[in-house]
């Protein structure tokens, strides 16, 4: 088995086990353990417990790999592979009982920085619907056994889009201006609340496109590979790599029009 396929298989196994743990904890009842950068940026005990489980499983299987996790930070490894993990993406949904959240695990090579890394394998697991989205570089994106493809035949007019609002309140005025520009064009707009699932849904053709400012590496690492392997494009407002300034994901043919509709002059603050 090529290395990337081994990585995908491991990500899938661990995401499934982690998702089952998060689901049990959700059924037991969830309390917010702490507020982080903003009132919307929360962590539950389950986030911490699930990340610890993922970290432990990865350490046991591949002790020389690096790790970059939402709750416990970064550890450089020596193998050249780094695991980028969001134990519960969509924590606010999770805490409130909205059943739209996921475990997101990506294996990347190169520098553990989204501007520099190359994603090799990914798993995004939605425990409530028991849906496993996965991808391996060069091997396609999959929802369980079904191969995924982005919607390649839509323009911005009539596109079903999703967005999100990063946690930094200073960026919200710009977010709302983008929404005001895009809404009159799009078929409709969703704020789903879990970036990894926004991206998985673009890969699956459940959304035509997605854009958000303020994503952290663990929010988009796995989902971006899903979109690319489903034939789509993921980038920043001016093309380039996706990152904290902007992440846009859609079919290649829609990308420039969506970036223009959302940004006009390509200034994320405008
Ligand atoms: C958040 C979700 C949300 C997005 C935020 C993310 P978290 O991740 O993906 O949809 O709008 O930017 O940080 O905190 O729930 O893991």
């Amino acid at each position: 088995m090529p290395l990337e396929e081994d990585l995908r298989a491991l990500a899938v196994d661990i995401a499934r086990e982690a998702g089952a743990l998060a689901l049990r904890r959700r059924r037991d009842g969830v309390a917010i353990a702490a507020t982080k950068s903003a009132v919307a940026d929360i962590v539950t005990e389950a986030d911490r417990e699930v990340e610890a489980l993922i970290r432990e499983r990865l350490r046991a299987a591949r002790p020389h790999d690096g790790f970059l996790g939402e709750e416990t930070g970064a550890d450089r490894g020596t193998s050249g592979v780094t695991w980028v993990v969001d134990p519960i993406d969509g924590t606010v949904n999770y805490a409130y009982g909205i059943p739209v959240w996921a475990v997101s695990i990506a294996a990347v090579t190169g520098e553990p920085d989204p501007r520099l890394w190359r994603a090799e394998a990914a798993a995004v697991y939605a425990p409530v619907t028991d849906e496993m989205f996965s991808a391996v570089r060069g091997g396609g994106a999959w929802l369980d056994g079904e191969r995924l493809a982005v919607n390649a035949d839509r323009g911005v007019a009539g596109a079903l889009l999703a967005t999100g609002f990063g946690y930094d309140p200073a960026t919200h005025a710009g977010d709302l201006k983008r929404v005001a520009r895009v809404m009159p064009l799009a078929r409709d707009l969703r704020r789903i609340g879990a970036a990894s699932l926004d991206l998985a849904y673009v890969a699956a053709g459940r959304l035509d496109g997605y854009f958000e400012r303020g994503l952290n590496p663990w929010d988009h690492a796995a989902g971006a590979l899903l979109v690319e392997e489903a034939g789509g494009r993921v980038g920043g407002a001016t093309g380039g790599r996706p990152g904290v300034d902007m992440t846009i994901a859609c079919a290649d043919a829609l990308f420039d029009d969506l970036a223009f509709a959302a940004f006009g002059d390509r200034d994320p603050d405008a």
Side-chain angles (χ1 to χ4, degrees):
M1 236 194 315
L3 171 68
E4 299 83 358
E5 188 47 50
D6 287 347
L7 298 176
R8 189 194 68 88
L10 184 60
V12 162
D13 281 354
I14 295 176
R16 204 182 291 284
E17 183 184 356
L21 172 61
L23 198 55
R24 282 201 303 279
R25 292 294 176 262
R26 174 64 246 171
R27 287 177 180 151
D28 294 345
V30 169
I32 295 170
T35 297
K36 299 190 286 184
S37 64
V39 278
D41 189 6
I42 57 170
V43 59
T44 69
E45 282 307 332
D47 288 87
R48 293 173 176 156
E49 193 185 354
V50 172
E51 183 158 315
L53 172 91
I54 295 170
R55 202 167 183 156
E56 185 45 46
R57 292 289 183 268
L58 288 170
R59 191 180 293 129
R62 297 185 51 93
H64 305 298
D65 291 354
F67 186 88
L68 175 60
E70 175 168 18
E71 310 306 339
T72 51
D75 245 356
R76 270 185 177 272
T78 53
S79 69
V81 173
T82 300
W83 293 90
V84 185
V85 170
D86 192 340
I88 300 177
D89 179 42
T91 307
V92 174
N93 285 350
Y94 181 80
Y96 277 74
I98 298 171
V100 185
W101 48 274
V103 178
S104 176
I105 302 179
V108 307
T109 51
E111 281 300 300
D113 174 331
R115 288 165 303 178
L116 303 171
W117 72 39
R118 184 179 125 112
E120 306 291 352
V124 172
Y125 180 54
V128 177
T129 49
D130 190 24
E131 291 182 308
M132 178 66 75
F133 299 88
S134 72
V136 63
R137 177 161 299 279
W142 301 81
L143 168 51
D144 299 311
E146 175 199 346
R147 189 152 188 174
L148 302 179
V150 298
N151 292 333
D153 56 351
R154 309 281 154 84
V156 179
L160 181 61
L161 302 174
T163 192
F165 307 109
Y167 292 135
D168 180 358
T171 62
H172 290 165
D175 294 341
L176 294 175
K177 284 188 202 160
R178 269 186 291 284
V179 167
R181 276 199 293 265
V182 167
M183 266 307 276
L185 297 171
R187 167 161 288 142
D188 208 342
L189 190 65
R190 300 284 179 267
R191 198 291 191 239
I192 286 172
S196 61
L197 287 175
D198 288 304
L199 290 161
Y201 288 2
V202 171
R206 294 176 181 177
L207 292 169
D208 297 313
Y210 162 70
F211 58 93
E212 179 164 351
R213 184 174 190 188
L215 290 186
N216 289 301
W218 43 83
D219 297 318
H220 64 80
L225 184 63
L226 293 173
V227 173
E228 288 171 359
E229 285 298 322
R233 178 168 160 197
V234 185
T238 52
R241 303 295 299 266
V244 69
D245 286 342
M246 185 50 61
T247 299
I248 302 172
C250 56
D252 193 41
L254 180 60
F255 193 94
D256 287 342
D257 286 349
L258 177 55
F260 187 73
F263 301 102
D265 57 6
R266 311 295 166 94
D267 174 358
D269 289 318

